[in-house]
């Protein structure tokens, strides 16, 4: 077993539902304005899944696109990791449901629960299985249907979130390329700041929990904002240091898309120009675990990513959790590996 395999992203794919909910639509639903939402968050519109669409349906579309791009069949997958806080149901895992939809018969399947940091926890986990040689191909999907747990009568939260899915096929790449460093963290003391109180074993779903709106996402926005600015900077610094890369060598920053002001703080701190930052929250809002992989896929599709580029993925979310990774981009599978 080769213990020094280089591991990277072989292909990406994404999917967002067709229905668009604009700030002007929200003006008719709650006491808010396009001006307030744009100036405080940078968000202009978001996508909303249909009543028939669950998270696994969005994940399936994104996964198919990533597999097609890599020219890999679902049967070749060794493992599927789905990062989500909006699973189809409490169990079985959304990864198992996706495994069945894809026909990925050989693949082990599990969900990761790390809220908006879920995709970073997922790719870090996937990398360990490939580095050790245990697995060859692991599919990681960040997917959310946050509209299903959002209270559209609460202006503090309903303007922020949207639905979508982003997928990445993780596999071995040529030596020196791929993931150079990871940073993951958690602070469980901040759990109550961002949570869905009911529906689990603490407050099982009941007519009372629904009457009290406890099945909806709840957030202490201001507290999360301060935490976000702090950990976006510290996690980015940590992966740069671990990889021995300076901030001037960053070619693209792909941050979690929660609030433009949080991203601007990181951009200022690292002295990045606009073309070095992937931003899509104006069109999608905060898609939690899907934000980073969708933004990355769009950057790849737009030709903004070249072989050898240094890419920083960085995010934070409920838990509280945070994470980052520095990637030397290459989608070329390792020489001699059949596809
Ligand atoms: N429209 C109009 N007014 C609003 C709205 C709205 N949609 N929402 C809140 N307000 C009001 C508030 O009620 C408040 O009024 P008050 O002063 O009379 O009480 C005023 O605007 C200011 O509220 P603040 O909370 O101070 O606004 P702030 O500038 O902090 O922006 C926001 C709020 C956008 C929520 C911000 O705090 C934020 O982005 N926080 C981070 C959220 C985040 O990153 N979540 C990520 C994780 S999500 C996950 O893991 C699933």
């Amino acid at each position: 077993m080769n213990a020094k395999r280089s591991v990277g992203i072989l292909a990406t794919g994404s999917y967002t539902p067709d229905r668009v909910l604009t700030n002007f639509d929200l003006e008719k639903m709650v006491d808010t304005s396009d001006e307030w939402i744009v100036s405080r968050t940078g968000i202009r519109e978001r996508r909303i899944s249909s009543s028939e669409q669950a998270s696994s349906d969005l994940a399936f579309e994104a996964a198919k696109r990533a597999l097609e791009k890599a020219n890999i069949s679902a049967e070749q997958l060794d493992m599927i990791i789905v990062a989500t806080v909006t699973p189809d149901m409490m169990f079985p895992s959304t990864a198992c449901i996706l495994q069945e939809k894809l026909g990925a018969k050989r693949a082990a399947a599990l969900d990761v629960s790390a809220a908006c940091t879920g995709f970073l926890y997922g790719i870090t986990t996937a990398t360990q299985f490939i580095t050790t040689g245990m697995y060859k191909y692991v599919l990681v999907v960040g997917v959310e249907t946050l509209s299903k747990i959002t209270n559209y009568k609460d202006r503090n939260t309903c303007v922020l979130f949207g639905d979508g899915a982003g997928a990445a096929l993780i596999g071995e790449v040529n030596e020196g390329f791929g993931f150079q460093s990871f940073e993951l963290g958690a602070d469980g003391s901040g759990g109550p700041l961002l949570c869905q109180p009911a529906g689990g074993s603490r407050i099982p779903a009941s007519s009372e929990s629904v009457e009290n709106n406890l099945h909806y996402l709840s957030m202490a926005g201001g507290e999360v904002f301060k935490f976000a600015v702090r950990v976006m900077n510290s996690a980015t610094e940590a992966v740069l240091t671990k990889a021995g890369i300076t901030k001037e060598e960053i070619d693209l920053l792909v941050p979690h898309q929660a609030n433009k002001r949080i991203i601007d703080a990181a951009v200022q701190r690292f002295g990045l120009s606009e073309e070095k930052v992937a931003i899509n929250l104006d069109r999608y809002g905060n898609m939690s675990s899907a934000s980073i992989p969708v933004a990355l896929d769009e950057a790849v599709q737009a030709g903004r990513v070249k072989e050898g580029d240094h890419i920083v993925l960085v995010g934070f979310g409920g838990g509280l959790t945070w994470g980052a990774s520095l990637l030397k981009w290459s989608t070329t599978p390792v020489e001699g590996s059949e596809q």
Side-chain angles (χ1 to χ4, degrees):
M1 195 154 55
N2 178 356
K4 287 189 181 163
R5 287 161 202 265
S6 295
V7 180
I9 294 178
L10 298 178
T12 56
S14 62
Y15 170 81
T16 52
D18 294 336
R19 187 180 155 212
V20 177
L21 182 71
T22 67
N23 291 351
F24 299 104
D25 296 326
L26 285 162
E27 282 182 355
K28 295 177 200 134
M29 296 159 69
V30 286
D31 181 15
T32 191
S33 65
D34 174 61
E35 193 280 326
W36 191 96
I37 302 171
V38 174
S39 63
R40 298 295 180 100
T41 71
I43 300 166
R44 293 180 185 277
E45 57 186 45
R46 64 291 288 146
R47 299 300 179 95
I48 306 293
S49 49
S50 72
S51 56
E52 288 81 37
Q53 281 178 313
S55 287
S56 67
D57 301 313
L58 277 57
F60 176 64
E61 296 300 332
K64 257 194 332 191
R65 291 171 191 186
L67 292 176
E68 273 163 23
K69 246 182 263 168
N71 201 21
I72 295 285
S73 73
E75 288 83 6
Q76 288 173 272
L77 291 176
D78 297 301
M79 180 177 244
I80 296 173
I81 298 175
V82 170
T84 187
V85 292
T86 46
D88 284 23
M89 51 189 93
M90 286 290 283
F91 73 90
S93 69
T94 302
C96 282
I97 298 169
L98 179 62
Q99 187 238 28
E100 156 68 9
K101 280 183 196 287
L102 288 170
K105 294 190 176 63
R106 291 178 48 250
L110 81 154
D111 283 4
V112 164
S113 177
C116 306
T117 322
F119 181 73
L120 284 157
Y121 269 76
I123 56 174
T124 309
T125 305
T127 299
Q128 311 315 310
F129 284 100
I130 297 165
T131 302
T132 57
M134 180 164 167
Y135 289 146
K136 187 168 178 190
Y137 296 124
V138 181
L139 180 72
V140 179
V141 186
V143 59
E144 303 292 357
T145 46
L146 289 169
S147 65
K148 313 268 183 177
I149 61 165
T150 295
N151 182 355
Y152 285 97
K153 290 186 176 147
D154 174 14
R155 69 176 184 176
N156 292 297
T157 53
C158 76
V159 302
L160 302 174
F161 301 108
D163 301 343
L169 181 71
I170 312 296
E172 193 176 358
V173 293
N174 284 314
E175 205 183 326
F177 288 91
F179 296 112
Q180 308 291 304
S181 56
F182 292 104
E183 172 79 1
L184 294 178
D187 175 6
S189 71
L193 298 177
L194 193 47
C195 62
Q196 183 186 12
S201 58
R202 180 65 63 195
I203 307 176
S206 65
S207 50
E208 199 188 342
S209 73
V210 172
E211 271 160 33
N212 291 321
N213 290 328
L214 298 177
H215 57 301
Y216 289 129
L217 182 156
S218 124
M219 183 178 76
E223 302 281 319
V224 175
F225 191 97
K226 282 179 255 162
F227 152 78
V229 170
R230 182 164 45 83
V231 296
M232 289 274 280
N233 289 339
S234 60
T236 301
E237 266 157 20
V239 290
L240 287 172
T241 305
K242 284 182 192 175
I245 299 286
T246 64
K247 59 184 178 13
E248 288 76 23
E249 291 174 273
I250 299 175
D251 295 299
L252 187 69
L253 179 80
V254 186
H256 175 46
Q257 312 276 318
N259 188 316
K260 179 73 165 43
R261 290 184 291 141
I262 295 173
I263 297 175
D264 286 346
V267 165
Q268 253 183 6
R269 170 74 166 257
F270 296 100
L272 299 171
S273 55
E274 225 170 78
E275 70 273 10
K276 288 192 172 182
V277 189
I279 292 181
N280 65 9
L281 90 172
D282 51 328
R283 288 173 291 126
Y284 300 130
N286 178 352
M287 298 182 288
S288 188
S289 67
S291 281
I292 290 174
V294 171
L296 177 63
D297 183 53
E298 289 191 338
V300 171
Q301 285 191 48
R304 295 179 68 186
V305 178
K306 301 182 306 296
E307 184 94 355
D309 275 359
H310 290 121
I311 301 176
V312 174
L313 312 176
V314 59
F316 61 90
L320 297 170
T321 55
W322 60 92
S325 179
L326 193 141
L327 183 60
K328 188 172 179 186
W329 188 255
S330 172
T331 52
T332 313
V334 70
E335 277 160 32
S337 127
E338 86 291 354
Q339 286 221 23

